[in-house]
Amino acid sequence: MTVSGHWGSSTSFDERHPSLGLFITFEGIDGSGKSTLAGSVFRKLAERLGTDRMVMTHEPGGWDGGEVLRETLIGGDLKSVLTETLLFLADRAEHVERVIRPGLGAGKVILCERYSDSTLAYQVFGKSFPRGVVEEISAGGRFPRPDLTFWLDVPVRVALGRIVARKGKPDRFEKDGPLLERIRLGYGTLCHEEPERVKRMDGTNDPGDLADTMVSSIMALLMKKGGWR
Ligand code: TYD
């Protein structure tokens, strides 16, 4: 389905990444289990493809020097959603140029925790930042479109329970239940807009089964692209 003018349109993403590289993103609200899943998908895929063929990365801060921006974004106390959005996009621009674009150019399979859909879900759908501004800047940065995005969907109540069990207390994004509800709905909208790219996975299912399903989808995509060798 093509929805003109939305984030996934060709005006926002750079389609020209080499055919053998594969760009996979993991999305979801905090506490959805993305990191655990991405880690096990990486290990399972590495058994088949070898670690040399793969890159595991994340946003924000997934590049050398990105820790400062990450610290400001996660640990800081930013008052303006404009500052927050611009810093997430600036972080992405460096991440794309230093990690993602070169990796795709070298034919790697890139697994990335959080990417452009996070900005849409959190800043645009969650905090009402204008979508057009995000799209314009993303188009300016020629950010590559993910080949496949796994949206780990869990009810907010479940996610908050996991966060408290893990950390003892939620951080600034995580403690706002209604905000997380809007973000979750935002992911639903993105999935509806681009059903071919954004796959909803029920994050309450068994993690081992989820990882196996994801690995199968990635392998199928790799074969389709002729990159299985
Ligand atoms: P992080 O500690 O990496 O958590 P997680 O394991 O859930 O990814 O924190 C990243 C936080 O930044 C998370 O709350 C989502 C938020 N975020 C945005 O709000 N916008 C963005 O564009 C990105 C990449 C992340």
Side-chain angles (χ1 to χ4, degrees), residues 93-116:
E94 285 303 308
H95 190 217
V96 162
E97 295 312 330
R98 293 166 188 246
V99 179
I100 296 171
R101 213 186 303 284
L104 291 173
K108 307 261 184 189
V109 175
I110 300 185
L111 304 187
C112 183
E113 277 178 56
R114 297 199 179 282
Y115 185 63
S116 45

Side-chain angles (χ1 to χ4, degrees), residues 1-10 131 192-194:
M1 182 173 82
T2 305
V3 181
S4 74
H6 76 72
W7 167 254
S9 71
S10 55
R131 185 172 183 164
H192 183 72
E193 288 178 353
E194 281 192 88

Side-chain angles (χ1 to χ4, degrees), residues 18-33:
S19 61
L20 289 189
L22 209 56
F23 185 23
I24 312 292
T25 58
F26 295 82
E27 294 282 357
I29 58 173
D30 306 76
S32 58

